[in-house]
Amino acid sequence: MDINTLSINNLSIGYKKGRKVDIILSDINLLAKPGDLIALIGRNGTGKSTLLRTIVNLQSKLTGKISFNNKSFDDYSNSEVSRIVSYVSTSRVIIQNITSFDLVGLGRSVYTNIFGSLTKNDNNIINEALKLVGADNIKHRLVSELSDGERQKIMIARAIGQNTPVIILDEPTAFLDLPNKYEVIKLLKKITHEKNKIIIFSTHDLSIAFNQINNTWFINENKIVSGTINELTENKMLDSLFAGTGIKLM
Amino acid sequence: MKIRNILVFISFILLTAIVFAFNIFGNIPNLSLSSIFYLDFSETQNIVLSEFRIPKAITAILVGAGLSISGVQMQTIFRNPLAGPYILGISSGASLGVAIVIFGASTFFSFVDFSIFGSWLIIIAAWLGSGILLALILMISFRIKDVLTILILGILFGYATSAIVNILQYVSPDSSLKSFFIWTMGSLGSVSKTELNIFIPIIIIGIIISLILSKTLNILMLGEDYARTLGINIFKSRLLIFLSTSLLAGSIAAFCGPIGFIGVTVPHIVRMLFKTSNSFTLQIFSIFIGAIIMLIADIITRISFIEGELPINSITALFGIPIIIYVLINNRKVISV
């Protein structure tokens, strides 16, 4: 297998409540290679967030294997995993008195010493991340005073600062206006392209994302399939997104 | 930026020293400036200084520093501006322990006459009380992931313990009621020189643990999901933070009674003054500002129209509440989660 590949084998995800096990998705087999920009799509409640949270190890998997570089995540330590995958969640981060620069700097904490002091190299990486997302001009502003779109860019820059080969984003375009949605997706494309990273993000904005992504993971009826947009349309897969709504794709 | 912080640091050391001097030398009869300068005191002045003023001022510094630094920790871990060192029920646990000792002793050993503060029995009871409550919270924290639930549970435990304390008060004789009431008002003057030998190292250890946790605290500001994806072990860091807070706030409650509002207020003052979110900076300057405010509060308790001193807890409350109101009104954007 190629290096820096993320592979998911026979994974099943869900929740354990005492003895009861709630399986949300099972038999998940997926592959992502460096340079892949993957959109995870599916209707509400189908398990998009659960899958993403399981990949970043925020939630334990039920069975199966998630591996990077042919090594299972179970065999990596917590701090090693934090150097492989970074995560941008849907929750709004509210911190008093923190500048954009310092917030992105927190992404470097994976590499800094016990006091979290930033070296010259760290500062360069932070500045580069801010430049890449186009937030160079707001780096000294307080995060609490930024707009939603600006804040999302800073959170993405923080993930870039963490310098991981895989970045996972949970609905990065939610709550944004149309121009910002386009801008964020284009930004993700740029990062995968320039940094040769794997980026996986869940979204409902398929119409905006479809010509930027090179693969989709599509959840339907408790199954997840992988394919390009064209493949999914040819197989009439996307129709099922609208099942029960009376809407038909041409 | 860094050089500026070092200059500010040095000036805060000087400022603390000046307030300390005002605290210990203020209002001593027949004390002239020259005798302060040459450290030439009469015998009475010497006794007043070494037996009362200096131990009390040192206690004030320890209390202010310890409560403020654990206030920073609690506000960070609960991501709530109203959290303080006693939010986990530490003080209510301490007061339950003290209530059991005071009321129990007066009921069963009515012949025993022990002074309320100075007594090791009281100190150990307060420690045990806060320690047991903290252990409960930690056990729950192992099972419950959501930190807000833990916060609410801490408050509920507080209500439960004060309910028990109320029952104890109701069935107890009047004489012990006053002793307990005096304990709840807090006192800086109750810590003797021998007790300081234990109090000082405990607070210093607590402060050192807190400062080492600065990086973890900074990451926890992002919320627990982000912290975990940054490689932080949530349970381990909660354990360490709760331990250092109970070491600080639990010991302060044990030695001086439950002194309120310093731990909640001081971190906000530091945030306003320094416009920083860095936990290390916040904690360092909380130490100084907490110490200075407690020294001043102690001076105020002496300006009294009655004999004796005003209760320190009332002073800290009257000082802290307006600042908290100001913070709540001005920072709604930061507070609404």
Side-chain angles (χ1 to χ4, degrees):
Chain A
M1 220 186 280
D2 306 16
I3 51 157
N4 285 0
T5 305
L6 180 78
S7 67
I8 298 173
N9 302 100
N10 299 321
L11 181 74
S12 64
I13 57 170
Y15 297 88
K16 270 187 213 165
K17 285 174 195 154
R19 277 189 209 153
K20 215 181 119 202
V21 181
D22 244 350
I23 299 174
I24 291 179
L25 281 172
S26 53
D27 294 320
I28 308 170
N29 287 290
L30 297 164
L31 192 72
K33 290 193 187 115
D36 276 354
L37 179 61
I38 298 167
L40 175 62
I41 53 176
R43 296 183 66 174
N44 285 330
T46 48
K48 294 190 299 293
S49 293
T50 314
L51 176 62
L52 295 182
R53 289 174 64 85
T54 311
I55 296 174
V56 292
N57 213 9
L58 280 174
Q59 189 167 334
S60 32
K61 59 188 192 297
L62 298 175
T63 53
K65 202 166 89 172
I66 304 171
S67 33
F68 184 75
N69 255 341
N70 299 327
K71 187 173 162 187
S72 166
F73 271 13
D74 301 337
D75 301 330
Y76 288 110
S77 71
N78 272 355
S79 61
E80 279 171 331
V81 172
S82 66
R83 292 173 191 209
I84 297 171
V85 213
S86 54
Y87 177 61
V88 178
S89 79
T90 43
S91 69
R92 248 176 98 152
V93 166
I94 297 163
I95 306 173
Q96 206 176 344
N97 286 342
I98 197 167
T99 62
S100 308
F101 185 91
D102 288 340
L103 185 63
V104 176
L106 288 178
R108 296 300 300 163
S109 62
V110 178
Y111 306 95
T112 53
N113 64 12
I114 183 162
F115 294 108
S117 21
L118 299 172
T119 63
K120 211 172 203 172
N121 181 40
D122 291 320
N123 283 326
N124 289 339
I125 292 171
I126 296 165
N127 280 322
E128 201 199 330
L130 283 162
K131 224 172 255 166
L132 189 63
V133 301
D136 209 26
N137 53 330
I138 52 169
K139 69 177 177 185
H140 296 304
R141 284 193 33 210
L142 294 180
V143 175
S144 53
E145 291 166 2
L146 299 180
S147 71
D148 287 344
E150 289 169 327
R151 193 180 305 114
Q152 190 62 279
K153 281 186 202 165
I154 298 299
M155 294 315 289
I156 293 171
R158 191 208 59 85
I160 297 169
Q162 202 174 332
N163 202 13
T164 55
V166 185
I167 301 178
I168 307 275
L169 306 96
D170 198 355
E171 300 204 20
T173 53
F175 314 116
L176 299 183
D177 61 14
L178 208 53
N180 272 312
K181 281 180 202 268
Y182 276 104
E183 207 178 342
V184 165
I185 303 272
K186 273 176 84 175
L187 172 62
L188 296 179
K189 175 78 184 172
K190 188 172 154 198
I191 301 161
T192 31
H193 194 72
E194 283 182 19
K195 299 261 169 185
N196 208 28
K197 287 177 191 290
I198 298 171
I199 294 188
I200 303 162
F201 67 103
S202 61
T203 187
H204 292 290
D205 297 312
L206 194 58
S207 53
I208 294 164
F210 81 97
N211 59 8
Q212 304 287 341
I213 54 180
N214 44 10
N215 209 357
T216 48
W217 293 353
F218 176 51
I219 304 178
N220 183 42
E221 287 166 0
N222 302 325
K223 285 211 169 60
I224 182 162
V225 286
S226 160
T228 62
I229 284 284
N230 286 337
E231 286 166 358
L232 292 180
T233 348
E234 275 165 28
N235 297 339
K236 304 259 176 212
M237 286 287 220
L238 288 182
D239 288 349
S240 53
L241 266 183
F242 303 95
T245 59
I247 301 170
K248 279 226 161 64
L249 287 184
M250 296 309 281
Chain B
M1 188 69 187
K2 282 218 163 136
I3 294 167
R4 183 183 151 256
N5 272 357
I6 290 165
L7 284 176
V8 176
F9 180 79
I10 293 167
S11 32
F12 265 98
I13 292 178
L14 288 173
L15 191 60
T16 314
I18 293 168
V19 181
F20 182 83
F22 264 103
N23 181 303
I24 61 171
F25 295 124
N27 211 16
I28 290 181
N30 308 321
L31 188 68
S32 65
L33 269 176
S34 67
S35 64
I36 294 174
F37 189 77
Y38 294 109
L39 294 175
D40 169 34
F41 307 115
S42 74
E43 208 171 310
T44 7
Q45 286 169 345
N46 231 334
I47 291 171
V48 169
L49 281 174
S50 68
E51 294 300 316
F52 300 101
R53 287 292 175 88
I54 292 175
K56 198 178 178 196
I58 290 175
T59 307
I61 289 176
L62 295 174
V63 168
L67 289 178
S68 308
I69 212 168
S70 64
V72 173
Q73 291 186 328
M74 290 299 105
Q75 288 175 5
T76 309
I77 196 166
F78 291 117
R79 296 202 294 153
N80 187 314
L82 285 181
Y86 295 136
I87 202 83
L88 292 171
I90 288 169
S91 76
S92 39
S95 63
L96 180 63
V98 171
I100 289 172
V101 166
I102 292 181
F103 299 135
S106 62
T107 313
F108 299 110
F109 314 100
S110 48
F111 51 89
V112 182
D113 174 45
F114 54 92
S115 68
I116 286 314
F117 290 105
S119 156
W120 280 105
L121 198 59
I122 299 274
I123 290 168
I124 291 166
W127 253 334
L128 275 180
S130 57
I132 289 169
L133 217 74
L134 184 87
L136 260 175
I137 296 277
L138 272 179
M139 266 154 57
I140 288 163
S141 147
F142 192 66
R143 298 200 57 185
I144 290 177
K145 301 258 159 63
D146 182 31
V147 82
L148 264 178
T149 315
I150 297 173
L151 179 88
I152 293 162
L153 285 172
I155 294 168
L156 285 175
F157 280 151
Y159 284 132
T161 48
S162 47
I164 300 172
V165 170
N166 280 342
I167 294 172
L168 285 173
Q169 277 178 313
Y170 188 72
V171 298
S172 298
D174 288 352
S175 59
S176 54
L177 275 182
K178 195 182 177 195
S179 316
F180 182 72
F181 182 65
I182 290 173
W183 182 83
T184 60
M185 291 195 307
S187 166
L188 296 175
S190 55
V191 185
S192 68
K193 268 164 106 179
T194 40
E195 285 166 355
L196 271 183
N197 288 335
I198 294 179
F199 197 33
I200 292 173
I202 288 177
I203 299 296
I204 289 177
I205 291 169
I207 287 176
I208 289 173
I209 298 176
S210 312
L211 289 177
I212 290 174
L213 287 169
S214 296
K215 182 184 171 184
T216 308
L217 286 169
N218 281 336
I219 298 172
L220 281 172
M221 288 190 303
L222 287 169
E224 299 198 348
D225 278 357
Y226 276 120
R228 279 169 68 191
T229 60
L230 283 163
I232 295 282
N233 181 328
I234 296 292
F235 182 73
K236 203 178 102 191
S237 32
R238 260 190 213 164
L239 180 78
L240 283 170
I241 291 167
F242 288 179
L243 273 180
S244 73
T245 278
S246 75
L247 207 58
L248 293 166
S251 309
I252 289 166
F255 281 99
C256 306
I259 292 175
F261 292 100
I262 290 296
V264 189
T265 317
V266 170
H268 291 300
I269 299 175
V270 179
R271 281 193 200 99
M272 281 190 261
L273 288 178
F274 292 91
K275 299 269 172 244
T276 180
S277 62
N278 186 308
S279 298
F280 189 78
T281 319
L282 278 177
Q283 293 192 99
I284 287 285
F285 289 112
S286 289
I287 291 175
F288 286 112
I289 292 181
I292 291 170
I293 286 171
M294 276 315 284
L295 285 170
I296 294 174
D298 180 46
I299 296 173
I300 294 171
T301 60
R302 272 182 246 145
I303 307 168
S304 167
F305 308 106
I306 51 159
E307 222 166 288
E309 294 185 350
L310 295 172
I312 188 88
N313 238 342
S314 313
I315 308 285
T316 55
L318 287 175
F319 154 79
I321 291 168
I323 292 177
I324 296 174
I325 291 173
Y326 176 83
V327 168
L328 284 176
I329 291 172
N330 281 282
N331 290 316
R332 271 171 306 179
K333 204 174 171 186
V334 178
I335 285 151
S336 62
V337 179

